[in-house]
Amino acid sequence: MKAVSGEPKSKVMENRCKFWVAKKNRFCANTPFKNSLFCGNHTPRTNDQWIPCPIDPSHCVLQENLGGHVKRCPVVKQAQSLSTQPFYQKGVNSGKEDEQQERETVNVTSEMKRNAVYSLSIPEFFEVIRKIELVHARICNDIKESYKIPEACGLWIKGEVDRNVPFQEKHVTQQASMLGNLEEFGVLERVVGKGGKCESVELSENSNGVPAVVEFGAGRGYLTQMLADCYGIRRVFLVERKAYKLKADRSLRQKESLILERLKIDIEDLNLNAVKSLQGLPYIAIGKHLCGPATDLTLRCCQVNERNVEQCGSNCHLKGLAIATCCHHLCQWKHYINKKYLTSLGISKEEFHAITWFTSWAVDADHSSDLSDDIDFKLHPESIEKEECNEDANGVEAVSRNMKAIERAKLGFMCKQIIDMGRLMWLKEHGLETELVKYVPPSVSPENHLLIARHAGHF
């Protein structure tokens, strides 16, 4: 940091917070409070002075100021503003539970799932694993590799994009393959104009292009940025509940033919049919790494059923989707889209939570090779039980820790695929053609499953 003109550097340093930021190897650059060595972020806090905000625990407030803060907390203002929007409908995509489960509002945490697994006896633990193996062998036989880098994305692959746009090769590879799979599946069509450049797709009833795109869990929106650059779309909706810096919005708004709308809302509360500017239009839904239950919420949000298509007209429907799933360990039974299907396979609510916990093992190992390709291994519970793990309180914990890394990883991939196949079957039950593919090698990302679908009757 340079000294202000006419003021020595030592004087400037005196006016800086004295908190040492080890990661940046320097002191905090903020100005300290009056009569304090530290800024507001780094002023030492005692437990009796600072408490989590009861509205949004992500920030804290002085206990003596709590009454006034609650009235003006930014989260309250945001919630009040959101509640006036016609597309806001609290919990509309959360899923229905039975009468007992409707009273359960707390998510089952990873710690709760782990404790439940560790409380099993060793025979019960291996019985769950045997069931996972049997179910996987029955339903997960058609998951193919589909690494697609379409010609349309050449600009991004070569790194010839605007230098103001963040460029990370691994993310670009994933985004390009998602779009390539959509193109091969017949959902996307590149419209090429003069000079080989993409032109926007006209909003016509007979257009085979994609006049509207809804990106769920959009974050900064760079998946949509690539889609806009390479496929000439003209209407975009970015759904994201958080605020981000360095968004793609500025670059997208510079495209004269593109209309952008950002919906700051939780997917759980979004009634997509009530988004006025989307009504009457076909659209595709996309999402890169929709964590845990966000995939299930998105599928419900898209209202994939014939009744809604008939109500809205032939063009108000989901034309297709591409969702890269991830973070299956966060999945919740209350939100899962196809509980009926898993129940028909003999998987209970408790076993579902165990399966979701096992999925974290898939990303623990070295992914320089594709562990998910070869998941025909068989565990040998008898030999493991004879080793150090006796039938005691720590038996299952000891067994799981003594399993080989490759066994843990492969079991994790099995569980991920079972969860995603349930989602695929739900889409098929609602009249869509669909596939589950591995869209990038695990060396690029171990979270490499892509769910793609389309309405067959509209192509």
Side-chain angles (χ1 to χ4, degrees):
M1 175 177 175
K2 294 182 180 180
V4 180
S5 177
E7 189 174 10
K9 184 176 180 180
S10 59
K11 183 66 174 178
V12 175
M13 296 299 292
E14 289 178 7
N15 293 330
R16 291 173 61 166
C17 172
K18 296 303 184 290
F19 181 85
W20 181 256
V21 185
K23 187 176 181 179
K24 297 184 178 180
N25 197 33
R26 62 166 173 79
F27 287 105
C28 170
N30 293 332
T31 303
F33 278 156
K34 186 177 181 180
N35 300 323
S36 173
L37 296 175
F38 304 98
C39 67
N41 291 329
H42 298 127
T43 298
R45 301 178 178 182
T46 56
N47 292 332
D48 59 339
Q49 290 179 318
W50 295 88
I51 60 173
C53 171
I55 299 170
D56 179 14
S58 67
H59 65 274
C60 296
V61 60
L62 279 171
Q63 189 169 10
E64 61 189 53
N65 297 335
L66 181 61
H69 173 82
V70 169
K71 297 178 182 178
R72 62 178 183 271
C73 179
V75 177
V76 174
K77 295 181 179 179
Q78 292 171 9
Q80 291 172 343
S81 175
L82 182 61
S83 65
T84 64
Q85 298 295 331
F87 51 77
Y88 174 80
Q89 187 175 340
K90 183 66 176 176
V92 65
N93 301 314
S94 60
K96 296 180 180 180
E97 300 292 335
D98 58 37
E99 186 174 336
Q100 178 180 356
Q101 291 171 342
E102 282 180 354
R103 298 193 293 267
E104 299 177 5
T105 58
V106 179
N107 284 344
V108 182
T109 65
S110 292
E111 182 180 6
M112 295 165 65
K113 294 174 182 179
R114 181 185 66 239
N115 292 340
V117 171
Y118 285 170
S119 69
L120 298 173
S121 67
I122 291 179
E124 289 172 337
F125 173 71
F126 281 106
E127 183 57 34
V128 171
I129 292 179
R130 289 187 186 97
K131 181 177 288 189
I132 291 170
E133 290 180 324
L134 290 172
V135 169
H136 184 272
R138 178 178 173 184
I139 68 174
C140 301
N141 297 315
D142 191 26
I143 303 175
K144 64 181 182 180
E145 292 181 353
S146 186
Y147 310 153
K148 304 295 180 183
I149 304 297
E151 182 181 352
C153 296
L155 184 71
W156 277 75
I157 296 300
K158 297 173 183 176
E160 298 174 356
V161 295
D162 185 345
R163 291 303 176 185
N164 293 321
V165 176
F167 182 92
Q168 288 184 287
E169 185 176 352
K170 69 174 183 177
H171 293 302
V172 169
T173 300
Q174 293 173 65
Q175 293 164 0
S177 187
M178 286 182 66
L179 302 185
N181 274 282
L182 273 176
E183 183 179 322
E184 183 174 88
F185 209 54
V187 177
L188 274 180
E189 180 178 345
R190 189 186 185 199
V191 180
V192 182
K194 295 179 180 180
K197 294 183 178 180
C198 284
E199 295 181 343
S200 58
V201 178
E202 292 297 327
L203 290 175
S204 63
E205 183 175 349
N206 297 321
S207 173
N208 289 325
V210 182
V213 171
V214 183
E215 182 178 357
F216 291 88
R220 294 178 174 86
Y222 287 108
L223 173 57
T224 290
Q225 174 79 66
M226 179 183 285
L227 185 54
D229 288 347
C230 303
Y231 288 91
I233 58 174
R234 69 173 285 183
R235 195 181 294 268
V236 171
F237 300 82
L238 302 180
V239 180
E240 176 56 60
R241 64 182 179 182
K242 296 180 181 179
Y244 283 90
K245 297 180 179 179
L246 302 175
K247 298 189 293 288
D249 299 37
R250 178 177 297 181
S251 175
L252 287 168
R253 293 187 194 279
Q254 291 176 353
K255 295 179 179 294
E256 295 182 0
S257 61
L258 187 141
I259 300 173
L260 171 66
E261 187 172 347
R262 183 174 277 269
L263 306 176
K264 190 176 180 182
I265 186 173
D266 195 308
I267 301 170
E268 185 175 358
D269 305 322
L270 174 60
N271 180 355
L272 203 60
N273 285 336
V275 178
K276 187 175 181 180
S277 50
L278 183 61
Q279 291 174 355
L281 299 177
Y283 68 94
I284 64 169
I286 57 175
K288 178 175 174 285
H289 290 180
L290 278 174
C291 292
T295 294
D296 304 297
L297 301 177
T298 295
L299 294 179
R300 283 197 187 89
C301 186
C302 291
Q303 298 288 320
V304 190
N305 58 69
E306 294 179 1
R307 179 173 59 86
N308 282 321
V309 173
E310 292 171 356
Q311 288 176 349
C312 298
S314 61
N315 276 348
C316 183
H317 69 277
L318 176 77
K319 290 188 69 175
L321 65 81
I323 296 177
T325 62
C326 80
C327 299
H328 297 74
H329 63 283
L330 298 176
C331 290
Q332 299 290 320
W333 181 254
K334 66 180 181 179
H335 294 314
Y336 187 66
I337 197 73
N338 209 351
K339 293 186 284 289
K340 179 180 178 181
Y341 179 69
L342 292 191
T343 301
S344 71
L345 295 172
I347 296 176
S348 66
K349 173 183 175 181
E350 292 73 24
E351 289 169 334
F352 174 82
H353 287 147
I355 287 172
T356 62
W357 185 68
F358 289 143
T359 62
S360 63
W361 290 359
V363 296
D364 285 346
D366 174 18
H367 292 280
S368 56
S369 61
D370 192 350
L371 295 175
S372 62
D373 273 343
D374 180 23
I375 44 183
D376 58 352
F377 79 100
K378 295 291 182 181
L379 294 177
H380 301 285
E382 298 81 6
S383 62
I384 297 178
E385 287 182 66
K386 290 179 182 178
E387 294 180 0
E388 304 173 14
C389 313
N390 296 318
E391 189 77 55
D392 57 27
N394 296 321
V396 170
E397 180 177 1
V399 168
S400 63
R401 294 185 186 280
N402 285 339
M403 290 171 62
K404 295 178 181 178
I406 191 171
E407 291 181 334
R408 289 167 58 93
K410 289 180 177 179
L411 180 61
F413 276 115
M414 280 186 173
C415 293
K416 280 178 174 290
Q417 293 176 3
I418 289 173
I419 293 170
D420 285 341
M421 286 300 294
R423 293 161 167 167
L424 178 145
M425 294 304 298
W426 186 86
L427 289 168
K428 283 188 174 181
E429 290 169 5
H430 287 79
L432 278 77
E433 291 183 1
T434 185
E435 287 185 1
L436 179 65
V437 300
K438 290 181 285 185
Y439 73 108
V440 290
S443 56
V444 174
S445 173
E447 301 280 19
N448 65 345
H449 289 158
L450 180 69
L451 189 63
I452 50 178
R454 69 175 187 175
H455 266 295
H458 299 281
F459 291 87

